[in-house]
Amino acid sequence: MYLNVVHFWDSLISSRGMFFEAAQLTLALTAVSIFIAIFIGLMFAFMKISDIKVLEWIANIYIYVVRGTPLIVQIFVFYYGLTEIWMISGFWSVALGLAFHNGAYIAEIFRGSIQSIGKGQTEAGRSLGMSQALTMRRIILPQAFRRALPPLGNQFIIGLKDSSLAAFIGVSEIFAVATTQGANTFDYMTWLLVSAVWYLILVFLLTLVVGAVEKKLAASD
Amino acid sequence: MSDYMIEANQLNKYFGDLHVLKDIDFQVKESEVVVLIGASGSGKSTMLRCLNFLEMKNGGELYIQGKEINPKKDNLNEVRQRVGMVFQHFNLFPHKTVLGNVMEAPLQVKKLSKAQAGEEGKQLLEKVGLGDKADVFPSRLSGGQKQRVAIARALAMKPEIMLFDEPTSALDPELVGEVLQTMKTLAQEGMTMVVVTHEMGFAREVADRVVYMHDGKIVESGTPQEIFENPKEERTQAFLSSIL
Ligand SMILES: Nc1ncnc2c1ncn2[C@@H]1O[C@H](COP(=O)(O)OP(=O)(O)OP(=O)(O)O)[C@@H](O)[C@H]1O
Ligand SMILES: [Mg+2]
């Protein structure tokens, strides 16, 4: 046991450069996909709460499809589908696949948080002569966003971990590097645990960032 | 053309099959303070909310400052700037400071400069006795303070008419007085006001006219003296004896 711990520690330390690079790829993949997913999410949240039935319908179908199919299938569909019509790297097809996937969950988070803001807030804005759009932008969305942050943070963490599926498309992010190392050394367990440590570090950092934003926005409580 | 600040002719309102306002004829003169009373569910709030188009009437005509308002054609945002509203539950913006609440609409709707909106906002806060609370968030205020901020926020748009929907009903008894005092001052300054309230003392002292509603209709309307001392209608008598 003692020897294994030392071996694990040595592996972790000696491979840090390689994994540091892989972690950057994981982070980039996560950041890009979450960034796009937030826009997709906002758009579909608005479509879902709009009075226009067709938009509501489209949003419902989108969310239903994303929820009802495995992420790995979605990613491969994006990979083969996109690379067929347009020269796109593995990185970008996974990023877009993840964005497509997370967008649906983020849409539901935004929809829920927007609808959780009491009707009185809208009425107060409108009674002051503010337009519907202005009331949404200045009164509802800032409050809704604050309320959405904890579940959003959760979704970001899920997105970060799901980015490991990029390994199956040949993107050398953390999990891909770990499996390659495992195959080379016939020591899968050590390298899987090393990758786990790296994911834990990234999730920890992400939690810190979300916590800091939450704290900043909570100034009014 | 009408000389009234508010004139409703044969106003009707339905919620689905529920007929909530039935052929309401209602007028308010400039600087008049009208208190609306009536049992729960009689349509007082709905009536008030129709006057600033938070609810849309289903029939009849509505004139604001002499001009008929057609919700389909007229700019309701502009109309609402002239008709301020204060709600039972304050509805302050929790993510903005007290001054931020008051400045929001002048900044965003009237496009005042920050300096001017801030200056006017501070004056209004002084007026409602909260000059020292400008930078505080609403969650730190008592109910009475919140409602006074809500009044200042509505006044910041310089409305011609103010609507109050049970402004003191959500307050602890000891906080009712400060809000009523603020409203009284406003009335003395000549603001045109329509107030739904159960505060009969306020109605007696401040109202020019008291209107009693029952089941979506105006049953009786008169001076406070007429309504409280000498109600003509049996329903009015029964209602008053039930609450006094
Ligand atoms: N948005 C709505 N949808 C359906 N019915 C409504 C709606 N708002 C009010 N009503 C109904 O309309 C009737 C009149 O309601 P309103 O709120 O105007 O009464 P009110 O006189 O203000 O009563 P209260 O003293 O309880 O505030 C009630 O029967 C109420 O249930
Ligand atoms: Mg009411």
Side-chain angles (χ1 to χ4, degrees), chain B residues 10 24 105 224:
Chain B
Q10 297 291 298
I24 298 268

Side-chain angles (χ1 to χ4, degrees), chain A residues 119, chain B residues 15 18 20 38-47 55 166 198:
Chain A
K119 223 174 91 215
Chain B
F15 286 115
L18 191 66
V20 182
S40 179
S42 56
K44 307 178 298 292
S45 295
T46 306
M47 162 93 168
E55 299 290 355
E166 303 202 31
H198 298 295

Side-chain angles (χ1 to χ4, degrees), chain B residues 10-224:
Chain B
Q10 297 291 298
L11 197 67
N12 278 279
K13 172 70 188 174
Y14 294 82
F15 286 115
D17 288 336
L18 191 66
H19 197 175
V20 182
L21 296 180
K22 302 170 181 169
D23 296 333
I24 298 268
D25 287 319
F26 178 73
Q27 304 86 23
V28 183
K29 286 186 281 205
E30 183 160 8
S31 293
E32 199 179 16
V33 176
V34 177
V35 164
L36 278 183
I37 60 173
S40 179
S42 56
K44 307 178 298 292
S45 295
T46 306
M47 162 93 168
L48 219 53
R49 293 159 58 82
C50 282
L51 298 181
N52 74 346
F53 302 91
L54 282 183
E55 299 290 355
M56 296 303 164
K57 64 181 163 68
N58 301 116
E61 298 158 349
L62 203 45
Y63 295 80
I64 303 292
Q65 294 184 290
K67 187 180 173 303
E68 185 175 3
I69 306 299
N70 179 343
K72 293 212 171 63
K73 281 201 233 134
D74 292 308
N75 179 355
L76 295 181
N77 297 328
E78 186 278 323
V79 176
R80 291 195 190 101
Q81 291 178 44
R82 289 182 277 137
V83 187
M85 187 159 197
V86 171
F87 302 87
Q88 179 175 359
H89 296 289
F90 331 125
N91 301 350
L92 293 182
F93 307 135
H95 59 304
K96 299 202 170 290
T97 62
V98 163
L99 185 59
N101 267 268
V102 178
M103 288 168 61
E104 179 66 14
L107 276 179
Q108 299 294 331
V109 180
K110 288 207 165 150
K111 309 280 183 203
L112 291 193
S113 70
K114 246 191 174 144
Q116 193 181 350
E119 190 55 42
E120 292 182 11
K122 277 184 194 144
Q123 272 173 23
L124 281 167
L125 288 175
E126 291 291 344
K127 181 185 163 99
V128 299
L130 293 170
D132 56 334
K133 300 284 186 198
D135 299 325
V136 166
F137 282 96
S139 57
R140 296 291 184 79
L141 300 179
S142 73
Q145 292 172 329
K146 282 182 190 161
Q147 196 59 296
R148 285 185 282 147
V149 173
I151 293 172
R153 179 177 69 178
L155 291 177
M157 290 305 280
K158 302 198 169 76
E160 308 282 345
I161 301 163
M162 285 282 281
L163 310 174
F164 294 83
D165 192 359
E166 303 202 31
T168 60
S169 297
L171 300 179
D172 292 336
E174 73 272 19
L175 302 176
V176 169
E178 61 191 62
V179 172
L180 292 181
Q181 185 55 46
T182 305
M183 291 167 63
K184 193 173 154 187
T185 308
L186 206 55
Q188 283 163 349
E189 291 170 2
M191 178 62 79
T192 307
M193 295 165 54
V194 183
V195 184
V196 176
T197 186
H198 298 295
E199 294 293 332
M200 295 305 152
F202 176 83
R204 267 175 212 277
E205 201 187 337
V206 182
D208 298 303
R209 202 146 53 83
V210 175
V211 171
Y212 171 64
M213 283 183 73
H214 176 79
D215 193 23
K217 285 185 263 213
I218 292 183
V219 175
E220 192 168 355
S221 157
T223 63

Side-chain angles (χ1 to χ4, degrees), chain A:
Chain A
M1 187 64 200
Y2 172 76
L3 275 179
N4 282 342
V5 170
V6 171
H7 171 61
F8 170 70
W9 184 252
D10 285 345
S11 311
L12 186 64
I13 298 300
S14 64
S15 67
R16 65 185 183 279
M18 182 170 30
F19 274 96
F20 184 70
E21 237 168 74
Q24 285 173 318
L25 209 47
T26 292
L27 267 187
L29 206 47
T30 308
V32 168
S33 63
I34 291 291
F35 187 77
I36 300 171
I38 286 175
F39 284 97
I40 296 178
L42 254 185
M43 191 174 81
F44 280 95
F46 282 134
M47 284 165 69
K48 244 196 121 160
I49 56 180
S50 79
D51 296 328
I52 304 165
K53 278 274 166 273
V54 185
L55 296 183
E56 205 185 320
W57 241 64
I58 295 172
N60 279 335
I61 291 172
Y62 163 60
I63 292 166
Y64 181 76
V65 167
V66 168
R67 276 185 169 165
T69 56
L71 173 55
I72 189 75
V73 173
Q74 293 166 19
I75 286 176
F76 270 98
V77 167
F78 263 81
Y79 179 60
Y80 287 115
L82 285 180
T83 45
E84 198 134 297
I85 44 176
W86 158 40
M87 278 303 285
I88 185 175
S89 65
F91 177 91
W92 276 99
S93 55
V94 180
L96 292 177
L98 282 171
F100 170 81
H101 179 81
N102 284 299
Y105 290 94
I106 290 176
E108 284 292 62
I109 291 171
F110 278 138
R111 181 192 58 78
S113 69
I114 289 171
Q115 287 179 336
S116 78
I117 306 299
K119 223 174 91 215
Q121 290 291 306
T122 304
E123 291 185 347
R126 301 307 305 275
S127 77
L128 290 165
M130 297 170 71
S131 68
Q132 190 172 358
L134 191 60
T135 305
M136 179 55 77
R137 182 164 65 79
R138 298 281 311 175
I139 308 301
I140 306 302
L141 283 184
Q143 295 181 61
F145 186 68
R146 221 173 88 187
R147 241 176 244 193
L149 254 185
L152 271 183
N154 211 27
Q155 191 61 40
F156 295 169
I157 289 173
I158 294 172
L160 186 134
K161 293 186 293 183
D162 282 350
S163 71
S164 57
L165 292 173
F168 294 100
I169 298 202
V171 179
S172 327
E173 48 66 70
I174 296 174
F175 181 63
V177 170
T179 45
T180 310
Q181 285 294 103
N184 290 343
T185 58
F186 302 104
D187 184 9
Y188 278 102
M189 189 51 79
T190 299
W191 294 106
L192 286 174
L193 290 178
V194 167
S195 77
V197 168
W198 280 90
Y199 279 112
L200 283 171
I201 292 170
L202 293 187
V203 168
F204 176 73
L205 294 176
L206 189 55
T207 311
L208 281 188
V209 171
V210 172
V213 176
E214 251 175 83
K215 208 164 170 186
K216 193 157 175 250
L217 292 182
S220 54
D221 291 325

